[in-house]
Amino acid sequence: MGAAAGGEGEAVRVLVVDDSPVDRRVVELLLRNHAAAFHVTTVDSGKKAMELLGLNNAGKQRSIDMVLTDYCMPEMTGYDLLQAIKALGSANPIPVVVMSSENEPQRISRCLTAGAEDYIVKPLRKKDVQRLRNCSAARSATKDAVAADDRRWSSVKKNDAPAPPPRPDTAAKKATSEQRPRRLAGAGLAMASTVDLSHYLQFLFKFILLAYAVLCLTELLHRWSSGCFLSQLP
């Protein structure tokens, strides 16, 4: 893991997640050399990204403004990392931008549906940096709106005004938070079933090949013992 300052002032703190050291270096150099200010931290796996973000309670959480993750990675894919970040249900979640060398419409739709702010085809170019800035600016605007709303409600309470009505999205957020564990559990069971079925099919295929090889060997031994090969010689 490495870090590099991208500038002073309101630097965008970007966490780059990619198992390829070459791709990580390319992204880091591109962001550092851009006119916009970026502070880049790189890790080589989704698990290390979760540790840095404090999602697995294994380490101290680091302040990150955006996560830029590769889609295809061993053990934990970029899509899995995206789901883990969005499952937190924060009012102002960390923007996640997925990058991949494959421009597949189904993959793009899958990531955007799961909550990704953008999907960028590798290799990253200078024009893609502005897309990252736009995602960060959108989050900053949302953060400011939430802070202003909280200050407004605090002012109302301080002046002993009548209690404000519940926010419309409170019930929806509560229902979502109650349903999320069930959805994640269902997804885990489905994934486990798929893995078990895949292992079973692989075992069955290997068993059939082994049985076929044994039959062929038995037939060859039978012919040899009966002199069929010798009778065919000139």
Side-chain angles (χ1 to χ4, degrees):
M1 178 170 57
E8 298 178 355
E10 297 181 358
V12 179
R13 296 161 296 187
V14 181
L15 173 61
V16 179
V17 189
D18 199 319
D19 60 317
S20 169
V22 175
D23 289 344
R24 290 198 308 271
R25 186 58 177 169
V26 169
V27 174
E28 183 177 4
L29 291 177
L30 179 64
L31 296 182
R32 288 183 61 187
N33 294 333
H34 198 266
F38 286 95
H39 185 284
V40 183
T41 301
T42 63
V43 292
D44 59 4
S45 68
K47 290 185 177 180
K48 289 184 179 179
M50 291 187 64
E51 292 177 2
L52 189 143
L53 294 172
L55 299 182
N56 56 1
N57 297 324
K60 184 178 180 180
Q61 181 179 1
R62 182 177 299 186
S63 297
I64 295 295
D65 297 320
M66 178 188 305
V67 174
L68 178 60
T69 178
D70 186 29
Y71 184 91
C72 294
M73 293 186 295
E75 298 184 358
M76 185 177 190
T77 66
Y79 181 78
D80 296 332
L81 178 60
L82 166 66
Q83 287 186 309
I85 294 176
K86 297 303 178 180
L88 296 176
S90 172
N92 190 27
I94 300 175
V96 179
V97 176
V98 180
M99 55 182 176
S100 173
S101 57
E102 298 182 12
N103 189 8
E104 295 183 2
Q106 293 183 350
R107 179 177 294 181
I108 296 174
S109 176
R110 184 188 187 197
C111 292
L112 296 180
T113 301
E117 272 64 29
D118 203 347
Y119 183 101
I120 299 177
V121 179
K122 295 195 297 185
L124 268 67
R125 303 171 179 84
K126 289 184 178 180
K127 64 180 182 180
D128 298 322
V129 177
Q130 185 57 43
R131 296 167 63 176
L132 299 179
R133 292 289 297 179
N134 294 339
C135 294
S136 176
R139 188 195 187 212
S140 298
T142 303
K143 183 177 181 180
D144 293 340
V146 172
D149 188 55
D150 291 340
R151 288 194 297 268
R152 183 168 60 254
W153 289 117
S154 299
S155 177
V156 171
K157 292 180 179 179
K158 185 179 295 184
N159 295 330
D160 295 328
R167 300 182 182 180
D169 59 343
T170 301
K173 288 183 178 179
K174 181 178 180 180
T176 302
S177 62
E178 293 176 351
Q179 294 174 2
R180 183 174 294 111
R182 292 194 294 269
R183 290 202 303 267
L184 293 178
L189 291 176
M191 186 178 296
S193 300
T194 302
V195 172
D196 292 341
L197 179 60
S198 175
H199 289 172
Y200 172 76
L201 292 177
Q202 291 179 7
F203 173 78
L204 180 61
F205 180 71
K206 292 180 180 178
F207 177 78
I208 293 175
L209 288 179
L210 180 61
Y212 180 75
V214 171
L215 290 176
C216 291
L217 181 60
T218 303
E219 180 65 18
L220 289 174
L221 292 175
H222 176 71
R223 291 188 179 186
W224 180 269
S225 61
S226 61
C228 291
F229 286 109
L230 297 176
S231 63
Q232 294 177 1
L233 296 176

Short mmCIF file of all heavy atoms in Angstrom, two decimals, residues 183-231:
data_model
loop_
_atom_site.label_atom_id
_atom_site.label_comp_id
_atom_site.label_asym_id
_atom_site.label_seq_id
_atom_site.Cartn_x
_atom_site.Cartn_y
_atom_site.Cartn_z
N ARG A 183 -31.63 -9.68 2.91
CA ARG A 183 -31.17 -9.75 1.53
C ARG A 183 -29.75 -10.28 1.46
O ARG A 183 -29.42 -11.10 0.59
CB ARG A 183 -31.24 -8.37 0.89
CG ARG A 183 -32.67 -7.87 0.65
CD ARG A 183 -32.67 -6.80 -0.42
NE ARG A 183 -31.80 -5.69 -0.07
CZ ARG A 183 -32.20 -4.61 0.56
NH1 ARG A 183 -33.46 -4.47 0.92
NH2 ARG A 183 -31.36 -3.63 0.84
N LEU A 184 -28.88 -9.79 2.36
CA LEU A 184 -27.50 -10.25 2.35
C LEU A 184 -27.41 -11.73 2.70
O LEU A 184 -26.61 -12.46 2.12
CB LEU A 184 -26.67 -9.42 3.34
CG LEU A 184 -26.48 -7.94 2.99
CD1 LEU A 184 -25.70 -7.23 4.07
CD2 LEU A 184 -25.79 -7.79 1.65
N ALA A 185 -28.25 -12.17 3.66
CA ALA A 185 -28.26 -13.59 4.01
C ALA A 185 -28.72 -14.44 2.84
O ALA A 185 -28.17 -15.50 2.55
CB ALA A 185 -29.16 -13.82 5.23
N GLY A 186 -29.78 -13.97 2.15
CA GLY A 186 -30.27 -14.70 0.99
C GLY A 186 -29.23 -14.76 -0.10
O GLY A 186 -29.04 -15.80 -0.75
N ALA A 187 -28.51 -13.66 -0.31
CA ALA A 187 -27.47 -13.64 -1.33
C ALA A 187 -26.34 -14.59 -0.96
O ALA A 187 -25.77 -15.26 -1.81
CB ALA A 187 -26.93 -12.23 -1.51
N GLY A 188 -26.02 -14.64 0.35
CA GLY A 188 -24.96 -15.54 0.79
C GLY A 188 -25.34 -17.00 0.57
O GLY A 188 -24.53 -17.81 0.14
N LEU A 189 -26.62 -17.36 0.88
CA LEU A 189 -27.08 -18.72 0.67
C LEU A 189 -27.07 -19.09 -0.81
O LEU A 189 -26.69 -20.19 -1.19
CB LEU A 189 -28.50 -18.89 1.24
CG LEU A 189 -28.60 -18.84 2.77
CD1 LEU A 189 -30.06 -18.91 3.20
CD2 LEU A 189 -27.82 -19.97 3.42
N ALA A 190 -27.51 -18.14 -1.64
CA ALA A 190 -27.53 -18.40 -3.08
C ALA A 190 -26.12 -18.60 -3.61
O ALA A 190 -25.87 -19.49 -4.43
CB ALA A 190 -28.21 -17.24 -3.82
N MET A 191 -25.17 -17.78 -3.12
CA MET A 191 -23.78 -17.92 -3.56
C MET A 191 -23.21 -19.26 -3.11
O MET A 191 -22.50 -19.93 -3.86
CB MET A 191 -22.94 -16.77 -3.00
CG MET A 191 -21.50 -16.76 -3.51
SD MET A 191 -20.59 -15.34 -2.88
CE MET A 191 -21.52 -14.02 -3.65
N ALA A 192 -23.53 -19.64 -1.85
CA ALA A 192 -23.03 -20.91 -1.34
C ALA A 192 -23.59 -22.08 -2.15
O ALA A 192 -22.88 -23.03 -2.47
CB ALA A 192 -23.39 -21.07 0.14
N SER A 193 -24.90 -22.02 -2.51
CA SER A 193 -25.52 -23.07 -3.30
C SER A 193 -24.87 -23.16 -4.66
O SER A 193 -24.63 -24.25 -5.19
CB SER A 193 -27.02 -22.81 -3.44
OG SER A 193 -27.64 -22.76 -2.17
N THR A 194 -24.58 -22.02 -5.26
CA THR A 194 -23.95 -22.01 -6.58
C THR A 194 -22.56 -22.65 -6.52
O THR A 194 -22.17 -23.41 -7.40
CB THR A 194 -23.84 -20.57 -7.10
OG1 THR A 194 -25.15 -20.00 -7.14
CG2 THR A 194 -23.23 -20.55 -8.48
N VAL A 195 -21.79 -22.29 -5.45
CA VAL A 195 -20.45 -22.86 -5.31
C VAL A 195 -20.51 -24.36 -5.12
O VAL A 195 -19.75 -25.12 -5.72
CB VAL A 195 -19.72 -22.19 -4.12
CG1 VAL A 195 -18.40 -22.89 -3.84
CG2 VAL A 195 -19.48 -20.72 -4.43
N ASP A 196 -21.47 -24.85 -4.26
CA ASP A 196 -21.62 -26.29 -4.03
C ASP A 196 -21.99 -27.01 -5.32
O ASP A 196 -21.47 -28.08 -5.62
CB ASP A 196 -22.69 -26.54 -2.96
CG ASP A 196 -22.23 -26.04 -1.59
OD1 ASP A 196 -21.01 -25.85 -1.42
OD2 ASP A 196 -23.10 -25.82 -0.72
N LEU A 197 -22.91 -26.44 -6.10
CA LEU A 197 -23.32 -27.07 -7.35
C LEU A 197 -22.17 -27.13 -8.34
O LEU A 197 -21.97 -28.13 -9.04
CB LEU A 197 -24.50 -26.29 -7.97
CG LEU A 197 -25.03 -26.80 -9.31
CD1 LEU A 197 -25.51 -28.23 -9.17
CD2 LEU A 197 -26.15 -25.90 -9.83
N SER A 198 -21.36 -26.05 -8.38
CA SER A 198 -20.21 -26.03 -9.28
C SER A 198 -19.20 -27.10 -8.90
O SER A 198 -18.68 -27.82 -9.77
CB SER A 198 -19.57 -24.64 -9.25
OG SER A 198 -18.40 -24.62 -10.02
N HIS A 199 -18.93 -27.26 -7.61
CA HIS A 199 -17.99 -28.29 -7.16
C HIS A 199 -18.53 -29.68 -7.48
O HIS A 199 -17.78 -30.58 -7.87
CB HIS A 199 -17.75 -28.14 -5.66
CG HIS A 199 -16.92 -26.95 -5.31
ND1 HIS A 199 -16.71 -26.53 -4.01
CD2 HIS A 199 -16.26 -26.07 -6.09
CE1 HIS A 199 -15.95 -25.46 -4.00
NE2 HIS A 199 -15.66 -25.15 -5.27
N TYR A 200 -19.85 -29.87 -7.32
CA TYR A 200 -20.44 -31.17 -7.59
C TYR A 200 -20.32 -31.53 -9.07
O TYR A 200 -19.98 -32.66 -9.43
CB TYR A 200 -21.91 -31.17 -7.16
CG TYR A 200 -22.67 -32.42 -7.57
CD1 TYR A 200 -22.48 -33.62 -6.88
CD2 TYR A 200 -23.53 -32.40 -8.66
CE1 TYR A 200 -23.16 -34.76 -7.27
CE2 TYR A 200 -24.21 -33.54 -9.04
CZ TYR A 200 -24.03 -34.72 -8.36
OH TYR A 200 -24.70 -35.84 -8.75
N LEU A 201 -20.61 -30.54 -9.94
CA LEU A 201 -20.52 -30.78 -11.39
C LEU A 201 -19.09 -31.08 -11.81
O LEU A 201 -18.86 -31.94 -12.67
CB LEU A 201 -21.07 -29.58 -12.15
CG LEU A 201 -22.58 -29.33 -12.02
CD1 LEU A 201 -22.98 -28.06 -12.75
CD2 LEU A 201 -23.37 -30.53 -12.54
N GLN A 202 -18.12 -30.36 -11.23
CA GLN A 202 -16.72 -30.64 -11.54
C GLN A 202 -16.34 -32.06 -11.11
O GLN A 202 -15.64 -32.77 -11.84
CB GLN A 202 -15.83 -29.61 -10.85
CG GLN A 202 -15.95 -28.19 -11.41
CD GLN A 202 -15.06 -27.21 -10.69
OE1 GLN A 202 -14.26 -27.62 -9.85
NE2 GLN A 202 -15.19 -25.93 -11.00
N PHE A 203 -16.78 -32.47 -9.93
CA PHE A 203 -16.48 -33.82 -9.45
C PHE A 203 -17.12 -34.87 -10.34
O PHE A 203 -16.50 -35.87 -10.70
CB PHE A 203 -16.98 -33.96 -8.01
CG PHE A 203 -16.86 -35.37 -7.47
CD1 PHE A 203 -15.63 -35.86 -7.04
CD2 PHE A 203 -17.97 -36.21 -7.42
CE1 PHE A 203 -15.53 -37.15 -6.56
CE2 PHE A 203 -17.86 -37.49 -6.95
CZ PHE A 203 -16.64 -37.97 -6.51
N LEU A 204 -18.38 -34.63 -10.76
CA LEU A 204 -19.08 -35.58 -11.61
C LEU A 204 -18.39 -35.72 -12.96
O LEU A 204 -18.23 -36.82 -13.51
CB LEU A 204 -20.53 -35.14 -11.79
CG LEU A 204 -21.42 -36.05 -12.67
CD1 LEU A 204 -21.51 -37.43 -12.05
CD2 LEU A 204 -22.83 -35.44 -12.80
N PHE A 205 -17.95 -34.60 -13.52
CA PHE A 205 -17.28 -34.60 -14.82
C PHE A 205 -15.96 -35.38 -14.73
O PHE A 205 -15.64 -36.20 -15.60
CB PHE A 205 -17.03 -33.17 -15.28
CG PHE A 205 -16.34 -33.06 -16.61
CD1 PHE A 205 -17.00 -33.40 -17.78
CD2 PHE A 205 -15.03 -32.65 -16.67
CE1 PHE A 205 -16.36 -33.31 -19.00
CE2 PHE A 205 -14.38 -32.56 -17.89
CZ PHE A 205 -15.05 -32.90 -19.06
N LYS A 206 -15.19 -35.13 -13.66
CA LYS A 206 -13.93 -35.84 -13.48
C LYS A 206 -14.16 -37.34 -13.28
O LYS A 206 -13.39 -38.17 -13.78
CB LYS A 206 -13.16 -35.26 -12.29
CG LYS A 206 -12.66 -33.84 -12.52
CD LYS A 206 -11.92 -33.33 -11.31
CE LYS A 206 -11.41 -31.90 -11.54
NZ LYS A 206 -10.71 -31.36 -10.35
N PHE A 207 -15.24 -37.70 -12.57
CA PHE A 207 -15.54 -39.11 -12.34
C PHE A 207 -15.89 -39.81 -13.64
O PHE A 207 -15.45 -40.94 -13.90
CB PHE A 207 -16.70 -39.23 -11.34
CG PHE A 207 -17.13 -40.65 -11.09
CD1 PHE A 207 -16.38 -41.47 -10.23
CD2 PHE A 207 -18.25 -41.18 -11.70
CE1 PHE A 207 -16.76 -42.77 -10.01
CE2 PHE A 207 -18.63 -42.48 -11.47
CZ PHE A 207 -17.89 -43.29 -10.62
N ILE A 208 -16.66 -39.14 -14.50
CA ILE A 208 -17.04 -39.73 -15.80
C ILE A 208 -15.79 -39.94 -16.66
O ILE A 208 -15.63 -40.97 -17.32
CB ILE A 208 -18.06 -38.84 -16.51
CG1 ILE A 208 -19.39 -38.84 -15.72
CG2 ILE A 208 -18.31 -39.30 -17.93
CD1 ILE A 208 -20.41 -37.89 -16.27
N LEU A 209 -14.89 -38.91 -16.68
CA LEU A 209 -13.66 -39.05 -17.46
C LEU A 209 -12.81 -40.21 -16.95
O LEU A 209 -12.23 -40.98 -17.73
CB LEU A 209 -12.86 -37.75 -17.40
CG LEU A 209 -13.42 -36.56 -18.19
CD1 LEU A 209 -12.52 -35.34 -17.99
CD2 LEU A 209 -13.53 -36.90 -19.67
N LEU A 210 -12.73 -40.35 -15.61
CA LEU A 210 -11.94 -41.43 -15.03
C LEU A 210 -12.54 -42.79 -15.38
O LEU A 210 -11.81 -43.73 -15.74
CB LEU A 210 -11.86 -41.24 -13.51
CG LEU A 210 -11.06 -42.31 -12.75
CD1 LEU A 210 -9.62 -42.32 -13.22
CD2 LEU A 210 -11.12 -42.03 -11.25
N ALA A 211 -13.87 -42.89 -15.31
CA ALA A 211 -14.53 -44.16 -15.63
C ALA A 211 -14.32 -44.53 -17.10
O ALA A 211 -14.07 -45.68 -17.46
CB ALA A 211 -16.03 -44.06 -15.32
N TYR A 212 -14.38 -43.52 -17.97
CA TYR A 212 -14.17 -43.76 -19.39
C TYR A 212 -12.74 -44.20 -19.66
O TYR A 212 -12.49 -45.11 -20.47
CB TYR A 212 -14.48 -42.49 -20.18
CG TYR A 212 -14.30 -42.63 -21.67
CD1 TYR A 212 -15.23 -43.34 -22.44
CD2 TYR A 212 -13.20 -42.08 -22.30
CE1 TYR A 212 -15.03 -43.47 -23.81
CE2 TYR A 212 -13.01 -42.22 -23.67
CZ TYR A 212 -13.93 -42.92 -24.43
OH TYR A 212 -13.76 -43.03 -25.77
N ALA A 213 -11.78 -43.59 -18.98
CA ALA A 213 -10.38 -43.98 -19.15
C ALA A 213 -10.14 -45.41 -18.69
O ALA A 213 -9.41 -46.17 -19.33
CB ALA A 213 -9.48 -43.02 -18.38
N VAL A 214 -10.79 -45.80 -17.58
CA VAL A 214 -10.65 -47.17 -17.08
C VAL A 214 -11.22 -48.17 -18.07
O VAL A 214 -10.64 -49.23 -18.35
CB VAL A 214 -11.33 -47.29 -15.71
CG1 VAL A 214 -11.40 -48.76 -15.26
CG2 VAL A 214 -10.58 -46.48 -14.67
N LEU A 215 -12.38 -47.84 -18.66
CA LEU A 215 -12.99 -48.74 -19.65
C LEU A 215 -12.10 -48.90 -20.88
O LEU A 215 -11.93 -50.00 -21.40
CB LEU A 215 -14.36 -48.19 -20.06
CG LEU A 215 -15.46 -48.27 -18.99
CD1 LEU A 215 -16.74 -47.60 -19.49
CD2 LEU A 215 -15.75 -49.73 -18.62
N CYS A 216 -11.53 -47.76 -21.34
CA CYS A 216 -10.64 -47.84 -22.51
C CYS A 216 -9.40 -48.68 -22.21
O CYS A 216 -8.97 -49.50 -23.03
CB CYS A 216 -10.23 -46.44 -22.93
SG CYS A 216 -11.59 -45.46 -23.62
N LEU A 217 -8.83 -48.51 -21.02
CA LEU A 217 -7.64 -49.27 -20.64
C LEU A 217 -7.97 -50.75 -20.53
O LEU A 217 -7.20 -51.61 -20.96
CB LEU A 217 -7.09 -48.73 -19.32
CG LEU A 217 -5.84 -49.41 -18.78
CD1 LEU A 217 -4.69 -49.26 -19.79
CD2 LEU A 217 -5.43 -48.80 -17.45
N THR A 218 -9.14 -51.04 -19.98
CA THR A 218 -9.56 -52.45 -19.85
C THR A 218 -9.73 -53.10 -21.22
O THR A 218 -9.32 -54.24 -21.45
CB THR A 218 -10.87 -52.53 -19.07
OG1 THR A 218 -10.71 -51.90 -17.79
CG2 THR A 218 -11.30 -53.97 -18.86
N GLU A 219 -10.31 -52.37 -22.15
CA GLU A 219 -10.50 -52.89 -23.50
C GLU A 219 -9.17 -53.14 -24.19
O GLU A 219 -8.97 -54.16 -24.87
CB GLU A 219 -11.34 -51.90 -24.32
CG GLU A 219 -11.61 -52.33 -25.75
CD GLU A 219 -12.49 -53.58 -25.83
OE1 GLU A 219 -13.15 -53.89 -24.83
OE2 GLU A 219 -12.51 -54.22 -26.90
N LEU A 220 -8.22 -52.19 -24.02
CA LEU A 220 -6.91 -52.37 -24.63
C LEU A 220 -6.19 -53.58 -24.05
O LEU A 220 -5.57 -54.37 -24.79
CB LEU A 220 -6.06 -51.11 -24.41
CG LEU A 220 -6.48 -49.87 -25.21
CD1 LEU A 220 -5.65 -48.67 -24.79
CD2 LEU A 220 -6.33 -50.12 -26.70
N LEU A 221 -6.26 -53.77 -22.75
CA LEU A 221 -5.63 -54.93 -22.12
C LEU A 221 -6.26 -56.23 -22.58
O LEU A 221 -5.58 -57.24 -22.80
CB LEU A 221 -5.71 -54.80 -20.59
CG LEU A 221 -4.88 -53.67 -19.96
CD1 LEU A 221 -5.15 -53.59 -18.46
CD2 LEU A 221 -3.40 -53.90 -20.22
N HIS A 222 -7.58 -56.19 -22.77
CA HIS A 222 -8.28 -57.40 -23.24
C HIS A 222 -7.84 -57.77 -24.65
O HIS A 222 -7.58 -58.95 -24.95
CB HIS A 222 -9.78 -57.14 -23.19
CG HIS A 222 -10.59 -58.31 -23.75
ND1 HIS A 222 -10.70 -59.52 -23.10
CD2 HIS A 222 -11.31 -58.40 -24.92
CE1 HIS A 222 -11.45 -60.33 -23.83
NE2 HIS A 222 -11.83 -59.66 -24.94
N ARG A 223 -7.75 -56.78 -25.51
CA ARG A 223 -7.32 -57.05 -26.89
C ARG A 223 -5.87 -57.54 -26.93
O ARG A 223 -5.51 -58.41 -27.74
CB ARG A 223 -7.47 -55.79 -27.73
CG ARG A 223 -8.93 -55.40 -27.97
CD ARG A 223 -9.01 -54.25 -28.96
NE ARG A 223 -10.41 -53.89 -29.22
CZ ARG A 223 -10.77 -52.98 -30.14
NH1 ARG A 223 -9.85 -52.37 -30.87
NH2 ARG A 223 -12.04 -52.70 -30.33
N TRP A 224 -5.04 -56.95 -26.12
CA TRP A 224 -3.64 -57.37 -26.10
C TRP A 224 -3.50 -58.81 -25.64
O TRP A 224 -2.74 -59.59 -26.20
CB TRP A 224 -2.86 -56.41 -25.19
CG TRP A 224 -1.39 -56.75 -25.10
CD1 TRP A 224 -0.77 -57.55 -24.21
CD2 TRP A 224 -0.40 -56.28 -25.99
NE1 TRP A 224 0.56 -57.61 -24.45
CE2 TRP A 224 0.82 -56.84 -25.57
CE3 TRP A 224 -0.40 -55.46 -27.11
CZ2 TRP A 224 2.03 -56.61 -26.22
CZ3 TRP A 224 0.80 -55.22 -27.75
CH2 TRP A 224 1.98 -55.78 -27.32
N SER A 225 -4.25 -59.12 -24.58
CA SER A 225 -4.16 -60.48 -24.06
C SER A 225 -4.72 -61.51 -25.03
O SER A 225 -4.30 -62.65 -25.06
CB SER A 225 -4.90 -60.56 -22.72
OG SER A 225 -6.27 -60.24 -22.91
N SER A 226 -5.70 -61.10 -25.85
CA SER A 226 -6.31 -62.03 -26.80
C SER A 226 -5.54 -62.09 -28.11
O SER A 226 -5.90 -62.84 -29.01
CB SER A 226 -7.75 -61.63 -27.06
OG SER A 226 -7.81 -60.33 -27.63
N GLY A 227 -4.48 -61.28 -28.26
CA GLY A 227 -3.65 -61.32 -29.45
C GLY A 227 -4.21 -60.58 -30.63
O GLY A 227 -3.78 -60.80 -31.77
N CYS A 228 -5.17 -59.67 -30.40
CA CYS A 228 -5.76 -58.94 -31.52
C CYS A 228 -4.72 -58.03 -32.17
O CYS A 228 -4.69 -57.88 -33.39
CB CYS A 228 -6.95 -58.12 -31.03
SG CYS A 228 -8.35 -59.16 -30.56
N PHE A 229 -3.87 -57.44 -31.37
CA PHE A 229 -2.87 -56.52 -31.93
C PHE A 229 -1.85 -57.30 -32.77
O PHE A 229 -1.42 -56.85 -33.83
CB PHE A 229 -2.15 -55.77 -30.81
CG PHE A 229 -3.02 -54.71 -30.18
CD1 PHE A 229 -3.52 -54.86 -28.90
CD2 PHE A 229 -3.33 -53.56 -30.90
CE1 PHE A 229 -4.33 -53.91 -28.36
CE2 PHE A 229 -4.13 -52.59 -30.34
CZ PHE A 229 -4.63 -52.75 -29.06
N LEU A 230 -1.48 -58.51 -32.32
CA LEU A 230 -0.49 -59.28 -33.03
C LEU A 230 -1.03 -59.77 -34.36
O LEU A 230 -0.31 -59.86 -35.36
CB LEU A 230 -0.03 -60.47 -32.17
CG LEU A 230 0.67 -60.10 -30.85
CD1 LEU A 230 1.00 -61.35 -30.05
CD2 LEU A 230 1.93 -59.30 -31.14
N SER A 231 -2.35 -60.09 -34.40
CA SER A 231 -2.95 -60.59 -35.65
C SER A 231 -3.05 -59.54 -36.70
O SER A 231 -3.15 -59.85 -37.90
CB SER A 231 -4.33 -61.17 -35.35
OG SER A 231 -5.18 -60.15 -34.88
#
